[in-house]
Amino acid sequence: MTSTTTFDDTARAYVAAFNAQDDTERRKAVATVFAPDATYTDPLADIAGHDAIAAFIAGAQQQFAGWTFRLAGPVDGHHDQARFTWVLGPDGEEPVVGFDVIRLDDEGRITQVLGFLDKVPAPAA
C-alpha cells in the first residue's frame, strides 16, 4: 500500500459507506473506498463493482433499518491486506457480528472483501 491511508482509516471509511443512508452519499462513499472492479464475497453475496456493492449496502440497510454498523476492536493489517470485526445493531446492542478481510490496491482502495458472519439473529418463528 503506497498511499498515506492507514488500515484504520480504510476500515472506518468502509463502515461509513455501509452506514451512508442517502443513495447519492452511499454511491460516493463506495466509489471512494472501493476500486471500480472490487469484489465482495460473504455468505449472502458474491458481487463485483460499485453498483452491485452500493445496491448490496442499500439492501442491508433496508433489512436492518435503524441499525448501525460499527467497528469492534482493532484493525490488523500487513502488506496490502487487513482484517477487522464489525457489529451491526441498534445503539448498545450487537445482534450481528461479522469479520472481514480486505485487500487494497496501491491507492489504498479496497479491491476485495472476504466476509464472514460470526453471529446473526435467529429467524422469527
Side-chain angles (χ1 to χ4, degrees), residues 9-95:
D9 293 338
T10 301
R12 281 192 294 274
Y14 173 86
V15 169
F18 269 81
N19 285 324
Q21 298 293 313
D22 174 74
D23 187 58
T24 302
E25 176 188 358
R26 182 181 319 107
R27 287 181 177 281
K28 182 178 178 184
V30 167
T32 300
V33 175
F34 291 89
D37 59 349
T39 61
Y40 181 99
T41 305
D42 74 7
L44 305 174
D46 188 9
I47 56 177
H50 289 168
D51 289 343
I53 293 169
F56 176 74
I57 293 170
Q61 290 175 350
Q62 184 176 11
Q63 183 177 359
F64 299 105
W67 290 13
T68 304
F69 287 89
R70 298 178 300 279
L71 286 175
V75 178
D76 181 30
H78 61 84
H79 294 85
D80 65 347
Q81 58 192 355
R83 64 182 179 166
F84 52 88
T85 299
W86 52 265
V87 296
L88 170 64
D91 288 337
E93 297 181 40
E94 301 175 355

Coordinates of all heavy atoms in Angstrom, one line a residue, residues 9-95:
D9 N -8.0 3.9 8.8 CA -8.8 4.8 8.0 C -9.6 4.1 7.0 O -10.8 4.5 6.8 CB -7.8 5.8 7.2 CG -7.1 6.8 8.1 OD1 -7.5 7.0 9.3 OD2 -6.0 7.3 7.7
T10 N -9.1 3.1 6.3 CA -9.8 2.4 5.4 C -11.0 1.6 6.0 O -12.1 1.6 5.5 CB -8.9 1.4 4.6 OG1 -7.9 2.1 4.0 CG2 -9.7 0.6 3.6
A11 N -10.8 1.0 7.1 CA -11.8 0.3 7.8 C -12.9 1.2 8.3 O -14.1 0.9 8.2 CB -11.3 -0.5 9.0
R12 N -12.6 2.4 8.8 CA -13.6 3.4 9.2 C -14.4 3.9 8.0 O -15.6 4.1 8.0 CB -12.9 4.6 9.9 CG -12.6 4.3 11.3 CD -12.2 5.5 12.1 NE -10.9 6.1 11.6 CZ -9.7 5.8 12.0 NH1 -9.6 4.9 13.0 NH2 -8.7 6.4 11.6
A13 N -13.7 4.1 6.8 CA -14.4 4.6 5.6 C -15.3 3.5 5.1 O -16.4 3.8 4.6 CB -13.4 5.0 4.6
Y14 N -14.9 2.2 5.2 CA -15.7 1.1 4.8 C -17.0 1.0 5.6 O -18.1 0.9 5.1 CB -14.9 -0.2 5.0 CG -15.5 -1.5 4.8 CD1 -15.6 -2.1 3.6 CD2 -16.0 -2.2 5.9 CE1 -16.2 -3.3 3.4 CE2 -16.6 -3.5 5.8 CZ -16.7 -4.0 4.5 OH -17.2 -5.3 4.3
V15 N -16.9 1.2 6.9 CA -18.1 1.2 7.8 C -18.9 2.4 7.5 O -20.2 2.3 7.5 CB -17.6 1.1 9.3 CG1 -18.8 1.4 10.2 CG2 -17.0 -0.3 9.6
A16 N -18.3 3.5 7.3 CA -19.1 4.7 6.9 C -19.9 4.5 5.7 O -21.1 4.9 5.5 CB -18.2 5.9 6.8
A17 N -19.3 3.8 4.7 CA -20.0 3.5 3.4 C -21.3 2.6 3.7 O -22.3 2.8 3.2 CB -19.1 2.8 2.4
F18 N -21.1 1.7 4.6 CA -22.2 0.8 5.0 C -23.3 1.6 5.8 O -24.4 1.1 5.9 CB -21.7 -0.4 5.8 CG -21.4 -1.6 4.9 CD1 -20.2 -1.7 4.2 CD2 -22.4 -2.6 4.7 CE1 -19.9 -2.7 3.4 CE2 -22.1 -3.6 3.8 CZ -20.9 -3.7 3.2
N19 N -22.9 2.7 6.4 CA -23.9 3.5 7.1 C -24.5 4.7 6.3 O -25.4 5.3 6.8 CB -23.2 4.0 8.4 CG -23.1 3.0 9.5 OD1 -23.9 2.1 9.6 ND2 -22.0 3.0 10.2
A20 N -24.0 4.9 5.1 CA -24.5 6.0 4.3 C -26.0 5.7 3.9 O -26.3 4.8 3.2 CB -23.6 6.2 3.1
Q21 N -26.8 6.6 4.4 CA -28.3 6.4 4.2 C -28.8 6.9 2.8 O -29.6 6.3 2.2 CB -29.1 7.1 5.3 CG -28.8 6.5 6.7 CD -29.3 5.1 6.8 OE1 -30.4 4.8 6.5 NE2 -28.4 4.2 7.3
D22 N -28.3 8.0 2.4 CA -28.7 8.6 1.1 C -28.0 7.9 0.0 O -26.8 7.6 0.0 CB -28.3 10.1 1.2 CG -28.6 10.8 -0.1 OD1 -29.8 11.1 -0.4 OD2 -27.6 11.1 -0.9
D23 N -28.8 7.6 -1.1 CA -28.3 6.9 -2.2 C -27.1 7.6 -2.9 O -26.0 6.9 -3.2 CB -29.3 6.6 -3.3 CG -28.9 5.7 -4.4 OD1 -28.5 4.6 -4.1 OD2 -28.9 6.2 -5.6
T24 N -27.1 8.9 -3.0 CA -26.0 9.6 -3.6 C -24.8 9.6 -2.7 O -23.7 9.3 -3.2 CB -26.5 11.1 -3.9 OG1 -27.6 11.1 -4.7 CG2 -25.3 11.9 -4.5
E25 N -25.0 9.8 -1.4 CA -23.9 9.7 -0.5 C -23.3 8.3 -0.4 O -22.1 8.1 -0.4 CB -24.4 10.1 0.9 CG -23.4 9.9 2.0 CD -24.0 10.1 3.4 OE1 -25.3 10.4 3.5 OE2 -23.3 10.0 4.4
R26 N -24.1 7.3 -0.5 CA -23.7 5.9 -0.5 C -22.8 5.6 -1.7 O -21.7 5.0 -1.6 CB -24.9 4.9 -0.4 CG -24.5 3.5 -0.4 CD -25.7 2.5 -0.3 NE -26.7 3.0 0.5 CZ -27.9 3.5 0.1 NH1 -28.1 3.6 -1.2 NH2 -28.8 3.9 0.9
R27 N -23.3 6.0 -2.9 CA -22.6 5.7 -4.1 C -21.2 6.5 -4.1 O -20.2 5.9 -4.6 CB -23.4 6.1 -5.3 CG -24.5 5.2 -5.6 CD -25.3 5.5 -6.8 NE -26.4 4.6 -7.0 CZ -26.2 3.4 -7.6 NH1 -25.0 3.0 -8.0 NH2 -27.2 2.5 -7.8
K28 N -21.2 7.7 -3.6 CA -19.9 8.4 -3.5 C -19.0 7.7 -2.5 O -17.8 7.6 -2.8 CB -20.2 9.9 -3.0 CG -19.0 10.7 -2.9 CD -19.3 12.1 -2.5 CE -18.0 13.0 -2.4 NZ -18.3 14.3 -1.9
A29 N -19.5 7.3 -1.4 CA -18.6 6.6 -0.4 C -18.1 5.3 -1.0 O -16.9 5.0 -0.9 CB -19.4 6.3 0.9
V30 N -18.9 4.5 -1.7 CA -18.5 3.3 -2.3 C -17.4 3.6 -3.4 O -16.4 2.9 -3.4 CB -19.7 2.5 -3.0 CG1 -19.2 1.4 -3.9 CG2 -20.5 1.9 -1.9
A31 N -17.6 4.6 -4.2 CA -16.6 5.0 -5.2 C -15.3 5.4 -4.6 O -14.2 5.2 -5.2 CB -17.2 6.1 -6.1
T32 N -15.3 6.0 -3.4 CA -14.1 6.5 -2.8 C -13.4 5.3 -2.1 O -12.1 5.2 -2.2 CB -14.5 7.5 -1.7 OG1 -15.1 8.6 -2.3 CG2 -13.2 8.0 -0.9
V33 N -14.1 4.4 -1.5 CA -13.5 3.3 -0.7 C -13.1 2.1 -1.5 O -12.1 1.5 -1.2 CB -14.5 2.9 0.4 CG1 -13.9 1.7 1.2 CG2 -14.8 4.0 1.4
F34 N -13.9 1.8 -2.5 CA -13.7 0.6 -3.3 C -13.1 0.9 -4.7 O -13.5 1.9 -5.4 CB -15.0 -0.1 -3.5 CG -15.6 -0.7 -2.3 CD1 -16.4 0.0 -1.5 CD2 -15.3 -2.0 -1.9 CE1 -17.0 -0.5 -0.3 CE2 -15.8 -2.6 -0.8 CZ -16.7 -1.8 0.0
A35 N -12.2 0.1 -5.2 CA -11.7 0.1 -6.5 C -12.9 -0.2 -7.5 O -13.8 -0.9 -7.1 CB -10.6 -0.9 -6.8
P36 N -12.9 0.3 -8.7 CA -14.0 0.1 -9.6 C -14.4 -1.4 -9.8 O -15.6 -1.7 -9.9 CB -13.6 0.7 -10.9 CG -12.6 1.7 -10.5 CD -11.9 1.2 -9.3
D37 N -13.4 -2.3 -9.8 CA -13.7 -3.7 -10.1 C -13.6 -4.5 -8.8 O -13.4 -5.7 -8.8 CB -12.7 -4.2 -11.1 CG -11.3 -4.1 -10.7 OD1 -11.0 -3.4 -9.7 OD2 -10.4 -4.7 -11.4
A38 N -13.8 -3.9 -7.7 CA -13.7 -4.6 -6.4 C -14.8 -5.7 -6.3 O -15.9 -5.6 -6.9 CB -14.0 -3.6 -5.2
T39 N -14.4 -6.8 -5.6 CA -15.3 -7.9 -5.4 C -15.6 -7.9 -3.9 O -14.9 -7.5 -3.0 CB -14.7 -9.2 -5.8 OG1 -13.5 -9.5 -5.0 CG2 -14.4 -9.2 -7.3
Y40 N -16.8 -8.4 -3.6 CA -17.3 -8.5 -2.3 C -18.0 -9.9 -2.1 O -19.0 -10.2 -2.9 CB -18.4 -7.4 -2.0 CG -18.9 -7.5 -0.6 CD1 -18.4 -6.6 0.4 CD2 -19.9 -8.4 -0.2 CE1 -18.9 -6.7 1.7 CE2 -20.4 -8.4 1.1 CZ -19.9 -7.6 2.0 OH -20.4 -7.6 3.3
T41 N -17.5 -10.7 -1.2 CA -18.0 -12.1 -1.1 C -18.2 -12.3 0.4 O -17.3 -12.2 1.2 CB -17.0 -13.1 -1.6 OG1 -16.7 -12.8 -3.0 CG2 -17.6 -14.5 -1.5
D42 N -19.4 -12.7 0.8 CA -19.7 -13.2 2.1 C -20.8 -14.2 2.0 O -21.2 -14.6 0.9 CB -20.1 -12.0 3.0 CG -21.5 -11.4 2.8 OD1 -22.3 -11.9 2.0 OD2 -21.8 -10.3 3.4
P43 N -21.3 -14.8 3.1 CA -22.3 -15.8 3.0 C -23.6 -15.4 2.2 O -24.3 -16.3 1.7 CB -22.7 -16.2 4.4 CG -21.4 -15.8 5.2 CD -20.9 -14.6 4.5
L44 N -23.9 -14.1 2.1 CA -25.1 -13.6 1.5 C -24.9 -13.0 0.1 O -25.9 -12.7 -0.6 CB -25.8 -12.6 2.4 CG -26.0 -13.1 3.8 CD1 -26.6 -11.9 4.7 CD2 -27.0 -14.2 3.8
A45 N -23.7 -12.8 -0.3 CA -23.4 -12.2 -1.6 C -22.1 -12.6 -2.2 O -21.1 -12.9 -1.5 CB -23.4 -10.6 -1.4
D46 N -22.1 -12.5 -3.5 CA -20.8 -12.7 -4.3 C -21.0 -11.8 -5.5 O -21.5 -12.1 -6.5 CB -20.7 -14.2 -4.7 CG -19.3 -14.4 -5.4 OD1 -18.4 -13.5 -5.3 OD2 -19.1 -15.5 -5.9
I47 N -20.5 -10.5 -5.3 CA -20.7 -9.5 -6.2 C -19.5 -8.7 -6.6 O -18.4 -8.9 -6.0 CB -21.8 -8.5 -5.7 CG1 -21.3 -7.9 -4.3 CG2 -23.1 -9.1 -5.5 CD1 -22.2 -6.9 -3.7
A48 N -19.6 -7.9 -7.7 CA -18.4 -7.1 -8.1 C -18.9 -5.7 -8.6 O -19.9 -5.6 -9.2 CB -17.6 -7.8 -9.2
G49 N -18.1 -4.7 -8.4 CA -18.3 -3.4 -8.9 C -19.1 -2.5 -8.0 O -19.8 -2.9 -7.1
H50 N -18.9 -1.2 -8.3 CA -19.5 -0.2 -7.4 C -21.0 -0.3 -7.4 O -21.6 -0.2 -6.3 CB -19.2 1.2 -7.9 CG -17.7 1.6 -7.7 ND1 -17.1 2.7 -8.3 CD2 -16.8 1.0 -6.9 CE1 -15.9 2.8 -7.9 NE2 -15.6 1.8 -7.1
D51 N -21.7 -0.5 -8.5 CA -23.2 -0.5 -8.5 C -23.7 -1.7 -7.6 O -24.6 -1.5 -6.9 CB -23.7 -0.6 -9.9 CG -23.5 0.7 -10.7 OD1 -23.3 1.7 -10.1 OD2 -23.7 0.6 -12.0
A52 N -23.1 -2.8 -7.8 CA -23.5 -4.0 -7.0 C -23.3 -3.8 -5.5 O -24.1 -4.2 -4.7 CB -22.9 -5.3 -7.6
I53 N -22.1 -3.3 -5.2 CA -21.8 -3.1 -3.8 C -22.7 -2.1 -3.2 O -23.3 -2.3 -2.1 CB -20.3 -2.7 -3.6 CG1 -19.4 -3.9 -4.0 CG2 -20.0 -2.2 -2.2 CD1 -17.9 -3.5 -4.2
A54 N -23.0 -1.0 -3.9 CA -23.9 0.1 -3.4 C -25.3 -0.5 -3.2 O -26.0 -0.2 -2.2 CB -24.0 1.3 -4.3
A55 N -25.8 -1.3 -4.1 CA -27.1 -2.0 -4.0 C -27.1 -3.0 -2.9 O -28.1 -3.0 -2.1 CB -27.4 -2.7 -5.3
F56 N -26.1 -3.7 -2.6 CA -26.0 -4.6 -1.5 C -26.1 -3.9 -0.2 O -26.8 -4.3 0.7 CB -24.7 -5.4 -1.6 CG -24.5 -6.4 -0.4 CD1 -25.2 -7.5 -0.3 CD2 -23.6 -6.1 0.6 CE1 -25.1 -8.4 0.7 CE2 -23.4 -6.9 1.7 CZ -24.2 -8.1 1.7
I57 N -25.4 -2.8 -0.1 CA -25.4 -2.0 1.1 C -26.8 -1.4 1.4 O -27.4 -1.5 2.5 CB -24.4 -0.8 1.1 CG1 -23.0 -1.4 1.1 CG2 -24.6 0.2 2.2 CD1 -21.9 -0.4 0.8
A58 N -27.5 -0.9 0.3 CA -28.9 -0.4 0.4 C -29.8 -1.5 0.9 O -30.7 -1.3 1.7 CB -29.3 0.1 -0.9
G59 N -29.6 -2.8 0.4 CA -30.4 -3.9 0.8 C -30.2 -4.2 2.3 O -31.2 -4.5 3.0
A60 N -29.0 -4.1 2.8 CA -28.7 -4.4 4.2 C -29.3 -3.3 5.1 O -29.9 -3.6 6.1 CB -27.2 -4.4 4.4
Q61 N -29.3 -2.1 4.6 CA -29.9 -1.0 5.4 C -31.4 -1.2 5.4 O -32.1 -0.9 6.5 CB -29.5 0.3 4.8 CG -28.1 0.7 5.0 CD -27.7 2.0 4.3 OE1 -28.4 2.5 3.5 NE2 -26.5 2.4 4.6
Q62 N -32.0 -1.6 4.3 CA -33.5 -1.8 4.3 C -33.8 -3.0 5.3 O -34.8 -2.9 6.0 CB -33.9 -2.1 2.9 CG -35.4 -2.3 2.8 CD -35.9 -2.5 1.3 OE1 -35.1 -2.7 0.5 NE2 -37.2 -2.4 1.1
Q63 N -33.1 -4.0 5.2 CA -33.3 -5.2 6.1 C -33.2 -4.9 7.6 O -33.9 -5.4 8.4 CB -32.4 -6.4 5.7 CG -32.7 -7.6 6.5 CD -31.9 -8.8 6.0 OE1 -31.1 -8.7 5.1 NE2 -32.0 -9.9 6.7
F64 N -32.2 -4.0 7.9 CA -31.9 -3.7 9.3 C -32.1 -2.2 9.5 O -31.2 -1.5 10.0 CB -30.4 -4.2 9.6 CG -30.2 -5.6 9.4 CD1 -29.5 -6.1 8.4 CD2 -30.7 -6.5 10.4 CE1 -29.3 -7.5 8.2 CE2 -30.6 -7.9 10.2 CZ -29.8 -8.4 9.1
A65 N -33.2 -1.7 9.1 CA -33.5 -0.3 9.2 C -33.3 0.2 10.7 O -33.7 -0.4 11.6 CB -34.9 0.0 8.8
G66 N -32.6 1.4 10.7 CA -32.3 2.0 12.0 C -31.1 1.4 12.8 O -30.7 2.0 13.8
W67 N -30.5 0.4 12.3 CA -29.3 -0.2 12.9 C -28.1 0.4 12.3 O -28.1 0.9 11.2 CB -29.3 -1.7 12.7 CG -30.3 -2.5 13.5 CD1 -31.4 -2.0 14.1 CD2 -30.4 -3.9 13.7 NE1 -32.1 -3.0 14.7 CE2 -31.5 -4.2 14.4 CE3 -29.6 -4.9 13.3 CZ2 -31.9 -5.5 14.8 CZ3 -29.9 -6.2 13.7 CH2 -31.1 -6.5 14.4
T68 N -27.0 0.4 13.1 CA -25.7 1.0 12.7 C -24.6 0.0 12.7 O -24.5 -0.8 13.6 CB -25.4 2.1 13.6 OG1 -26.5 3.1 13.7 CG2 -24.1 2.9 13.2
F69 N -23.7 0.1 11.6 CA -22.5 -0.7 11.6 C -21.5 0.0 12.4 O -21.3 1.2 12.3 CB -22.0 -0.9 10.1 CG -22.8 -1.8 9.3 CD1 -23.9 -1.4 8.6 CD2 -22.5 -3.2 9.2 CE1 -24.6 -2.2 7.8 CE2 -23.2 -4.0 8.4 CZ -24.3 -3.6 7.7
R70 N -20.7 -0.7 13.2 CA -19.6 -0.2 14.0 C -18.4 -1.1 14.0 O -18.6 -2.3 14.0 CB -20.0 0.1 15.4 CG -21.2 1.1 15.6 CD -21.6 1.2 17.0 NE -22.1 0.0 17.7 CZ -23.3 -0.5 17.6 NH1 -24.2 0.0 16.7 NH2 -23.7 -1.6 18.2
L71 N -17.2 -0.5 14.0 CA -16.0 -1.4 14.2 C -16.0 -1.9 15.6 O -16.4 -1.2 16.5 CB -14.7 -0.6 14.0 CG -14.4 -0.3 12.5 CD1 -13.2 0.6 12.4 CD2 -14.2 -1.5 11.7
A72 N -15.5 -3.1 15.8 CA -15.5 -3.8 17.1 C -14.1 -4.3 17.3 O -13.7 -5.4 16.9 CB -16.5 -4.9 17.2
G73 N -13.2 -3.5 17.9 CA -11.9 -3.9 18.2 C -10.9 -3.3 17.2 O -11.3 -2.6 16.3
P74 N -9.7 -3.7 17.3 CA -8.6 -3.1 16.4 C -8.7 -3.7 15.0 O -9.2 -4.8 14.7 CB -7.3 -3.6 17.1 CG -7.7 -4.8 17.8 CD -9.1 -4.7 18.3
V75 N -8.1 -2.9 14.1 CA -7.9 -3.3 12.7 C -6.4 -3.9 12.6 O -5.5 -3.2 13.1 CB -8.0 -2.1 11.8 CG1 -7.8 -2.6 10.3 CG2 -9.5 -1.6 11.9
D76 N -6.3 -5.0 12.1 CA -4.9 -5.7 12.0 C -4.6 -5.8 10.5 O -5.4 -6.3 9.7 CB -5.0 -7.1 12.6 CG -3.7 -7.8 12.6 OD1 -2.6 -7.1 12.6 OD2 -3.7 -9.0 12.5
G77 N -3.4 -5.3 10.1 CA -3.1 -5.4 8.7 C -1.6 -5.5 8.4 O -0.8 -5.1 9.3
H78 N -1.3 -6.0 7.3 CA 0.1 -6.0 6.8 C 0.0 -6.1 5.3 O -1.0 -6.5 4.7 CB 0.9 -7.2 7.4 CG 0.3 -8.6 7.1 ND1 0.6 -9.2 5.9 CD2 -0.5 -9.3 7.8 CE1 0.0 -10.4 5.9 NE2 -0.7 -10.5 7.0
H79 N 1.1 -5.7 4.6 CA 1.2 -5.7 3.2 C 0.0 -5.0 2.6 O -0.2 -3.8 2.9 CB 1.4 -7.1 2.6 CG 2.7 -7.7 3.0 ND1 2.9 -8.4 4.2 CD2 3.9 -7.8 2.4 CE1 4.1 -8.8 4.3 NE2 4.8 -8.4 3.2
D80 N -0.8 -5.6 1.8 CA -2.0 -5.0 1.2 C -3.3 -5.6 1.7 O -4.3 -5.5 1.1 CB -1.9 -5.1 -0.3 CG -2.0 -6.6 -0.8 OD1 -1.9 -7.5 0.0 OD2 -2.3 -6.8 -2.0
Q81 N -3.3 -6.1 2.9 CA -4.5 -6.8 3.4 C -4.7 -6.4 4.9 O -3.7 -6.1 5.6 CB -4.4 -8.3 3.3 CG -3.2 -8.9 3.9 CD -3.0 -10.3 3.5 OE1 -3.8 -10.9 2.8 NE2 -1.9 -10.9 4.0
A82 N -5.9 -6.4 5.3 CA -6.3 -6.1 6.7 C -7.5 -6.9 7.1 O -8.2 -7.4 6.2 CB -6.6 -4.6 6.9
R83 N -7.7 -7.1 8.4 CA -8.9 -7.8 8.9 C -9.4 -7.0 10.1 O -8.7 -6.3 10.8 CB -8.5 -9.2 9.3 CG -7.5 -9.2 10.5 CD -7.1 -10.6 10.8 NE -6.1 -10.6 11.9 CZ -5.8 -11.6 12.6 NH1 -6.4 -12.8 12.4 NH2 -4.9 -11.5 13.6
F84 N -10.7 -7.1 10.3 CA -11.4 -6.4 11.4 C -12.7 -7.0 11.6 O -13.3 -7.6 10.8 CB -11.5 -4.9 11.1 CG -12.2 -4.6 9.8 CD1 -13.5 -4.5 9.7 CD2 -11.4 -4.4 8.6 CE1 -14.1 -4.2 8.4 CE2 -12.0 -4.1 7.4 CZ -13.4 -4.0 7.3
T85 N -13.2 -6.8 12.8 CA -14.5 -7.3 13.2 C -15.4 -6.1 13.3 O -15.0 -5.0 13.7 CB -14.4 -7.9 14.6 OG1 -13.6 -9.1 14.5 CG2 -15.8 -8.4 15.1
W86 N -16.7 -6.3 12.9 CA -17.7 -5.2 12.9 C -18.9 -5.8 13.6 O -19.1 -7.0 13.7 CB -18.0 -4.7 11.5 CG -18.3 -5.7 10.5 CD1 -17.5 -6.3 9.6 CD2 -19.6 -6.3 10.3 NE1 -18.1 -7.3 8.9 CE2 -19.5 -7.3 9.3 CE3 -20.9 -6.2 10.9 CZ2 -20.5 -8.1 8.9 CZ3 -21.9 -7.0 10.5 CH2 -21.7 -7.9 9.4
V87 N -19.7 -4.9 14.1 CA -21.0 -5.2 14.7 C -22.1 -4.4 14.0 O -21.9 -3.3 13.5 CB -21.1 -5.0 16.2 CG1 -20.1 -5.9 16.9 CG2 -20.8 -3.6 16.6
L88 N -23.3 -4.9 14.0 CA -24.5 -4.3 13.4 C -25.6 -4.4 14.4 O -25.9 -5.5 14.8 CB -24.9 -4.9 12.1 CG -26.2 -4.4 11.5 CD1 -26.2 -2.9 11.2 CD2 -26.5 -5.3 10.3
G89 N -26.2 -3.3 14.8 CA -27.3 -3.3 15.7 C -27.7 -1.9 16.1 O -27.1 -0.9 15.8
P90 N -28.8 -1.9 16.9 CA -29.2 -0.6 17.5 C -28.1 -0.2 18.5 O -27.3 -1.0 18.9 CB -30.6 -0.9 18.1 CG -30.7 -2.4 18.2 CD -29.7 -3.0 17.2
D91 N -28.1 1.1 18.9 CA -27.1 1.5 19.9 C -27.1 0.6 21.1 O -28.2 0.3 21.7 CB -27.4 3.0 20.3 CG -27.1 4.0 19.2 OD1 -26.3 3.6 18.3 OD2 -27.7 5.1 19.2
G92 N -25.9 0.2 21.5 CA -25.7 -0.6 22.7 C -26.0 -2.1 22.5 O -25.8 -2.8 23.4
E93 N -26.4 -2.5 21.3 CA -26.7 -3.9 21.1 C -25.9 -4.4 19.9 O -25.5 -3.6 19.0 CB -28.2 -4.1 20.8 CG -29.1 -3.8 22.0 CD -30.5 -4.1 21.6 OE1 -30.8 -5.1 21.0 OE2 -31.4 -3.2 22.0
E94 N -25.6 -5.7 19.9 CA -24.8 -6.3 18.8 C -25.4 -7.6 18.4 O -24.7 -8.6 18.5 CB -23.3 -6.5 19.3 CG -22.6 -5.2 19.7 CD -21.3 -5.4 20.3 OE1 -20.8 -6.6 20.5 OE2 -20.6 -4.4 20.6
P95 N -26.6 -7.6 17.8 CA -27.2 -8.8 17.3 C -26.5 -9.5 16.1 O -26.6 -10.6 15.9 CB -28.6 -8.4 17.0 CG -28.6 -7.0 16.9 CD -27.5 -6.4 17.6

